[in-house]
Amino acid sequence: MRTPIVIATIAMTLTALSHPQLVSAQKFQEPTKEELQMTSDPKSPGAPAVYLYREEVTDNNSHYVSSYARIKVLTELGKEWATVEVPYTPGYSAPPIIEGRTIHADGTVIPLVGKGADLLAFRTNSDQEKVAVFNLPSVEVGSILEYKWTVPLTGSGRVGSVLQEDEGNISSELASSVPEWEVQTRLFVHKEHFYYNPKTGLENGVGGNQSISHYTDGELASYLLYTQRLPPGVQVAKSPKDDYSLDIQNVPPKQKASNAPPVESLQYRVRFFYTPYLSADLYWENEEKRWSKQVDDFASQSQTIRDAAAQITTGATTPDAKARKIYDAVQALENTDFTRTKSDAERTRLHLKRELKKSEDVWKEKSGSSNDIAALYLALTRAAGLDARGVQAADRNLRIFDPNLLSLGQLDSLLVVLRVDGKEVFLDPGEKLCPYGSLHWHHTLAGSLLQDNKTPIFTPPNLAKDAVTTHSADLTIAPNGTISGTIKVVMNGPEALRWRQLNLISDPAEVQKQFDEALRQQLPQGISAQVDHFQGLDSYSSDLLAVVNVSGHLGSVTGKRILLPAFFFSVAARNDFTAETSRTVPVDLHYAEQVIDVVEYRLPAGFTVESAPTPTQFAWPGHAALVTNSAPASMTPNAPGSIGIKHIYARAFVLLDAKEYPALHDFYQKLATNDQAQLVLTAMPTSAGN
């Protein structure tokens, strides 16, 4: 992806302006015999297609960005790479110029012919960005796809805020782009080349003496920096001419691993950016000051806020009690991130301000976004005399915070940290139905800016005791191995919040449907589960309870015996790390947790327990532990008995580096093996004469 840059200030003696030259036609490469005959790629077994070569160029001196690719199609699925998408920004760049051809395995060449207007389809990606789409012709399995697209950078037609006689030419000479090199793609890449010339013709000295300034967030940005995530030994090269290049070979495709951080944060890429500061420490120190002032302005102490804080905290005698009362008050407001933001026309009709500029506006309207409500909580707690600071945090579900990428755009969500009784309490007041003292898991272990702190911090993890899910099953077993009964699922923390927030944006039937499906994934095959009702779905002040009816065929009957899985629920089924013996990406399980499974099996009349799993206890020190036990009830002839089986799993870790994966795999292998234990019931002999 590329971000257009508008040069905001120009001071020059302009004697001549050179116009961007048209980009010369691409000299396509003739395929080798080996490339034509290729039917699979040993470097990427089973791949639908592979890049033989790809190239990306951003040349601000010639005012264009371009992409060139040669792709070998290996399967039917690989034919989808014949559809090519080109992002561009109207007003700053022209529609793309495209060239292309398809080469069949026998060497036949089918060129892409026709006028650009006829070959391109357009769609809107956002208010500013459009996407041009074209398709390469006559694609078959075995074809080589070869294309180049070029987007001329045209500029905005305006220089600064002053219209000038030759402003169109000036703007085109200033048109530029800052690239983001996505080194990894969905396909294996044999060879890649990237090039970036950051300077325009004016910056290179065309037209006399001049000074061109770049601005970021209103500040003069004098330094061009980059952050890179690349394989060991591979680095961006900078030439004496101050341009940049990268050459790399044998790049694996993006890996979509389960239970992993966002793939976009793990892929190989290089990001360039302009910044006012030469080091990350200076940037974050100064950015914290600028951001902090904005937060303080929004959360300013007006008389309306002071009066509201006094009213809300009436009767509260301790800082903790005041903080909780204010939390309940802001949680009761309408959160437009879970409802719908009013349009400008609606706001005008309702005599509301077009924009919420202060926390008192949020309080008066009793409505706002998650960040608006968090800022209101910050204002109210300060008005109540509490020590409160704002925290701007990354959303860990979207990205991993990179402190070397000097951009506040990484940080999405406003949190609040209170100092109460000498302890820091992190709060998520803008997260609807998130309990006091907790953070949504998206905001735990997340890179953040904290007011009055010079360097970024990471928010704390959750505690396993605050993420407990208990399954209590009462199941009656029939002589033919079928079961029926109920399950009570009690949740707090992240699991409860998940279902409560889904209930805010979905109808009850959809919530029940998704809950049924999620529970069925934890149950043995052949068992159906259906929610009867929920309790506490619209409140965060208590645990969430789901009562579920279950039935189905659980055990197998052999002679006088019934064989059943001892553990009705399976942790290994949810976090199955047993199939992979190695891993190259980190593990992310979102939050620490405890899962307590208690099952009461009611035996058929005339049956007794022949064997049950022995008590088990093992641990992965500092990471996870499992404890199981069973307690058979006393058995008497002709009277149904029962057995209770308990399975307690606790996990303290959340994020795990790939190098620790072997230990994780071994632990889950033991867990999965233990979960295969059986419960064996046998028919008791009948007494003489019966």
Side-chain angles (χ1 to χ4, degrees):
M1 295 180 64
R2 298 165 178 80
T3 304
I5 294 295
V6 179
I7 310 302
T9 302
I10 309 171
M12 66 181 122
T13 303
L14 189 64
T15 58
L17 285 170
S18 61
H19 294 273
Q21 297 180 351
L22 293 176
V23 181
S24 61
Q26 175 67 37
K27 293 182 179 179
F28 286 153
Q29 179 178 333
E30 291 307 308
T32 65
K33 180 180 178 181
E34 290 75 19
E35 290 173 343
L36 291 172
Q37 294 177 349
M38 181 188 296
T39 58
S40 63
D41 193 335
K43 292 184 177 180
S44 187
V50 294
Y51 278 100
L52 302 173
Y53 180 76
R54 68 184 294 257
E55 177 180 284
E56 291 188 11
V57 172
T58 301
D59 190 337
N60 289 334
N61 186 60
S62 298
H63 311 291
Y64 74 87
V65 296
S66 70
S67 177
Y68 169 65
R70 298 176 65 242
I71 301 171
K72 178 69 178 185
V73 178
L74 299 173
T75 71
E76 285 290 329
L77 290 176
K79 292 161 71 172
E80 72 173 84
W81 272 268
T83 300
V84 183
E85 298 186 350
V86 187
Y88 73 100
T89 306
Y92 296 104
S93 55
I97 302 166
I98 59 172
E99 304 168 78
R101 64 179 184 171
T102 300
I103 307 172
H104 289 170
D106 63 3
T108 303
V109 176
I110 297 89
L112 179 66
V113 294
K115 296 180 179 179
D118 299 327
L119 295 172
L120 292 171
F122 298 90
R123 73 165 190 266
T124 300
N125 236 19
S126 66
D127 290 341
Q128 294 184 334
E129 186 181 79
K130 286 187 178 292
V131 175
V133 183
F134 65 92
N135 292 282
L136 294 169
S138 186
V139 178
E140 302 173 349
V141 174
S143 296
I144 293 176
L145 312 177
E146 190 170 20
Y147 65 84
K148 180 179 182 179
W149 57 256
T150 302
V151 174
L153 303 175
T154 59
S156 64
R158 180 178 292 271
V159 181
S161 60
V162 181
L163 291 171
Q164 299 189 21
E165 182 178 351
D166 206 10
E167 64 182 10
N169 288 334
I170 296 173
S171 181
S172 66
E173 285 298 328
L174 294 172
S176 61
S177 181
V178 178
E180 181 175 309
W181 295 342
E182 295 189 3
V183 178
Q184 266 182 307
T185 73
R186 292 165 56 199
L187 297 179
F188 182 89
V189 185
H190 283 261
K191 290 184 179 181
E192 283 185 291
H193 174 71
F194 298 87
Y195 175 78
Y196 175 36
N197 182 356
K199 293 185 178 180
T200 66
L202 293 176
E203 290 172 287
N204 280 322
V206 177
N209 298 319
Q210 60 274 322
S211 174
I212 297 177
S213 301
H214 298 262
Y215 282 82
T216 299
D217 295 328
E219 294 186 87
L220 180 64
S222 303
Y223 304 104
L224 175 64
L225 303 180
Y226 62 88
T227 179
Q228 59 183 356
R229 178 184 174 86
L230 295 170
V234 179
Q235 289 189 340
V236 173
K238 183 179 180 181
S239 81
K241 296 180 179 180
D242 291 335
D243 53 9
Y244 301 83
S245 62
L246 172 67
D247 289 282
I248 186 171
Q249 297 184 24
N250 299 324
V251 181
K254 295 179 186 178
Q255 297 190 43
K256 287 187 176 181
S258 60
N259 302 302
V263 65
E264 299 301 320
S265 296
L266 300 175
Q267 73 180 82
Y268 297 146
R269 63 163 22 124
V270 179
R271 294 183 176 102
F272 291 89
F273 54 91
Y274 280 94
T275 174
Y277 306 102
L278 194 53
S279 73
D281 289 345
L282 281 173
Y283 173 82
W284 292 115
E285 180 180 350
N286 284 275
E287 191 68 3
E288 183 279 323
K289 293 177 183 176
R290 188 177 68 84
W291 159 78
S292 184
K293 184 178 184 304
Q294 292 176 344
V295 173
D296 289 343
D297 286 346
F298 192 92
S300 58
Q301 306 290 293
S302 67
Q303 189 61 47
T304 298
I305 290 296
R306 288 191 289 270
D307 291 345
Q311 180 182 4
I312 293 168
T313 58
T314 299
T317 58
T318 66
D320 183 69
K322 291 179 180 179
R324 290 176 182 272
K325 280 198 167 191
I326 296 172
Y327 193 88
D328 290 341
V330 301
Q331 277 282 319
L333 304 182
E334 179 193 18
N335 188 318
T336 56
D337 289 344
F338 293 90
T339 54
R340 184 178 64 85
T341 304
K342 295 180 179 67
S343 67
D344 289 343
E346 288 177 293
R347 299 186 69 82
T348 300
R349 187 172 65 253
L350 296 171
H351 305 290
L352 301 175
K353 290 184 178 180
R354 296 289 292 273
E355 182 181 358
L356 299 176
K357 295 184 177 181
K358 298 286 184 180
S359 56
E360 71 171 37
D361 298 333
V362 184
W363 179 250
K364 289 176 180 178
E365 290 194 18
K366 302 295 188 263
S367 172
S369 68
S370 296
N371 285 345
D372 291 338
I373 291 172
L376 172 61
Y377 183 77
L378 183 65
L380 290 169
T381 50
R382 287 174 173 176
L386 302 179
D387 182 353
R389 289 181 289 169
V391 182
Q392 191 75 8
D395 186 330
R396 193 158 60 83
N397 193 44
L398 299 177
R399 66 183 63 84
I400 297 173
F401 174 69
D402 181 359
N404 294 314
L405 176 59
L406 307 187
S407 171
L408 192 65
Q410 297 183 83
L411 308 178
D412 314 273
S413 306
L414 182 63
L415 315 176
V416 175
V417 61
L418 299 179
R419 179 164 288 278
V420 179
D421 299 328
K423 297 180 180 180
E424 285 190 339
V425 181
F426 280 79
L427 302 170
D428 213 338
E431 198 68 50
K432 191 70 171 178
L433 295 176
C434 186
Y436 177 89
S438 299
L439 299 176
H440 194 295
W441 75 261
H442 293 186
H443 303 144
T444 60
L445 296 171
S448 309
L449 278 188
L450 171 65
Q451 284 188 301
D452 301 324
N453 203 74
K454 292 183 178 180
T455 58
I457 66 165
F458 283 85
T459 57
N462 75 301
L463 300 177
K465 69 179 182 63
D466 296 323
V468 180
T469 300
T470 301
H471 303 101
S472 300
D474 190 336
L475 307 174
T476 298
I477 305 169
N480 64 355
T482 60
I483 62 104
S484 61
T486 59
I487 298 172
K488 292 183 179 179
V489 185
V490 180
M491 297 162 278
N492 69 356
E495 274 298 289
L497 181 58
R498 169 192 174 190
W499 298 109
R500 284 167 172 155
Q501 291 190 340
L502 178 63
N503 187 55
L504 293 173
I505 60 176
S506 303
D507 60 71
E510 180 63 22
V511 176
Q512 291 195 12
K513 176 185 175 182
Q514 291 196 31
F515 191 90
D516 290 345
E517 180 57 32
L519 184 58
R520 271 195 294 268
Q521 293 177 11
Q522 303 172 48
L523 302 180
Q525 289 187 353
I527 301 300
S528 65
Q530 187 170 12
V531 171
D532 183 80
H533 63 276
F534 289 102
Q535 290 182 11
L537 197 55
D538 56 359
S539 170
Y540 59 84
S541 60
S542 62
D543 291 341
L544 173 61
L545 168 67
V547 178
V548 184
N549 298 318
V550 294
S551 62
H553 201 281
L554 180 65
S556 58
V557 179
T558 59
K560 295 183 178 181
R561 290 181 173 85
I562 304 175
L563 282 65
L564 306 104
F567 302 111
F568 190 64
F569 306 93
S570 176
V571 174
R574 290 190 295 130
N575 296 325
D576 189 3
F577 296 107
T578 59
E580 297 177 303
T581 57
S582 62
R583 188 177 173 111
T584 59
V585 298
V587 172
D588 184 353
L589 294 180
H590 298 171
Y591 50 85
E593 66 174 346
Q594 294 183 56
V595 181
I596 302 171
D597 301 331
V598 181
V599 181
E600 184 81 7
Y601 284 117
R602 300 189 182 278
L603 280 52
F607 279 77
T608 187
V609 175
E610 179 179 312
S611 65
T614 57
T616 301
Q617 184 171 339
F618 59 85
W620 179 16
H623 291 79
L626 176 72
V627 176
T628 69
N629 59 60
S630 58
S634 59
M635 304 293 175
T636 57
N638 302 321
S642 65
I643 181 172
I645 297 179
K646 184 175 289 189
H647 183 290
I648 303 173
Y649 166 78
R651 175 175 52 78
F653 75 92
V654 179
L655 299 170
L656 203 67
D657 192 88
K659 66 184 179 182
E660 294 187 80
Y661 184 78
L664 179 146
H665 170 76
D666 291 346
F667 176 79
Y668 275 94
Q669 188 66 58
K670 291 174 64 177
L671 182 64
T673 300
N674 182 82
D675 284 354
Q676 299 304 311
Q678 286 192 322
L679 174 65
V680 181
L681 310 181
T682 186
M684 293 184 292
T686 58
S687 58
N690 291 337

